[in-house]
């Protein structure tokens, strides 16, 4: 009887260690989601700030300035529930304002325009990467949370189910083609 109890105890310890390792992995994935979301928020804020600064610089024509300023302001002021829509609207406004390479060249030729155009180009390039990193982390956590062992033993605790950040983040082709 004693060897049977020892084997049962060893099996329970092994299962407990495996569940503890899985819970730790899930916790690290949730921490990674938080870090990538903070990075995404920083890149979105940078893009909106650069767009707003460019809109108020007087380099663009008045109509383009208004469109870009309003979209950037809305993206910066949006509530969390409306943020994806506001950021998508900013992407569309950037594509509308910088649809033609001539507009990008006009910005670059203005005093201080080269630096502003470069900063905007970098900002619009980094947003899709940051969103991809975030959504990859969310996907990994979702796949792990769908396992039976995670659900049965409630290894996720009270952490909310991770949500991907879906938005239109396609950069203006005239802006990106020139920098490539």
């Amino acid at each position: 009887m004693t060897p049977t109890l020892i084997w049962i105890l060893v099996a329970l310890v092994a299962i407990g260690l495996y569940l503890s390792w899985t819970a730790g992995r899930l916790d690290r994935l949730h921490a990674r989601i938080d870090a990538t979301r903070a990075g995404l928020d920083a890149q979105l804020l940078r893009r909106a700030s650069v767009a707003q600064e460019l809109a108020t610089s007087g380099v663009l024509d008045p109509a383009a300035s208004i469109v870009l300023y309003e979209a950037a302001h809305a993206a910066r002021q949006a509530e969390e529930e409306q943020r994806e829509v506001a950021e998508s609207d900013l992407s569309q406004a950037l594509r509308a304002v910088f649809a033609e390479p001539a507009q990008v060249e006009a910005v670059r030729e203005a005093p201080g325009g080269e630096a502003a155009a470069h900063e905007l180009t970098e900002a619009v390039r980094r947003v899709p990467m940051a969103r991809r990193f975030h959504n990859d982390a969310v996907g990994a956590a979702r796949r792990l949370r769908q396992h039976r062992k995670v659900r049965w033993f409630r290894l996720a605790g009270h952490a909310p189910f991770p949500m991907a950040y879906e938005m239109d983040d396609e950069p203006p082709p005239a802006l990106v083609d020139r920098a490539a």
Side-chain angles (χ1 to χ4, degrees):
M1 196 72 154
T2 304
T4 305
L5 287 175
I6 291 174
W7 282 110
I8 290 172
L9 185 61
V10 166
L12 288 175
V13 167
I15 291 170
L17 286 173
Y18 179 70
L19 291 175
S20 174
W21 175 79
T22 304
R25 181 173 168 224
L26 190 58
D27 186 51
R28 288 188 301 276
L29 282 172
H30 282 280
R32 185 173 143 210
I33 288 171
D34 291 342
T36 58
R37 180 57 190 250
L40 175 61
D41 286 342
Q43 292 305 323
L44 291 172
L45 181 62
R46 179 175 182 235
R47 180 181 75 156
S49 297
V50 169
Q52 203 168 20
E53 184 178 311
L54 187 60
T56 58
S57 69
V59 173
L60 300 171
D61 62 89
S65 293
I66 291 171
V67 167
L68 194 56
Y69 180 83
E70 287 180 354
H73 181 72
R76 290 183 72 181
Q77 300 298 321
E79 296 292 325
E80 191 61 34
E81 305 85 39
Q82 298 298 319
R83 184 126 186 248
E84 292 174 359
V85 173
E87 293 293 346
S88 293
D89 290 345
L90 178 56
S91 295
Q92 292 168 3
L94 284 166
R95 283 196 307 274
V97 170
F98 296 106
E100 299 296 324
Q103 182 71 20
V104 176
E105 289 306 317
V107 169
R108 289 184 189 280
E109 290 170 2
E114 185 68 37
H118 177 72
E119 193 172 352
L120 183 62
T121 300
E122 289 302 311
V124 299
R125 280 183 162 188
R126 289 180 180 164
V127 166
M129 288 188 292
R131 189 174 74 87
R132 198 171 314 120
F133 290 147
H134 174 70
N135 287 348
D136 287 348
V138 166
R142 282 181 165 187
R143 284 188 295 278
L144 184 59
R145 286 182 70 150
Q146 289 173 348
H147 287 223
R148 271 189 235 123
K149 66 180 175 258
V150 173
R151 290 192 320 263
W152 288 352
F153 292 102
R154 298 182 186 268
L155 298 181
H158 297 289
F161 194 73
M163 300 302 290
Y165 199 88
E166 297 301 330
M167 64 171 271
D168 174 9
D169 60 3
E170 184 181 334
L175 203 68
V176 177
D177 290 344
R178 169 72 162 77

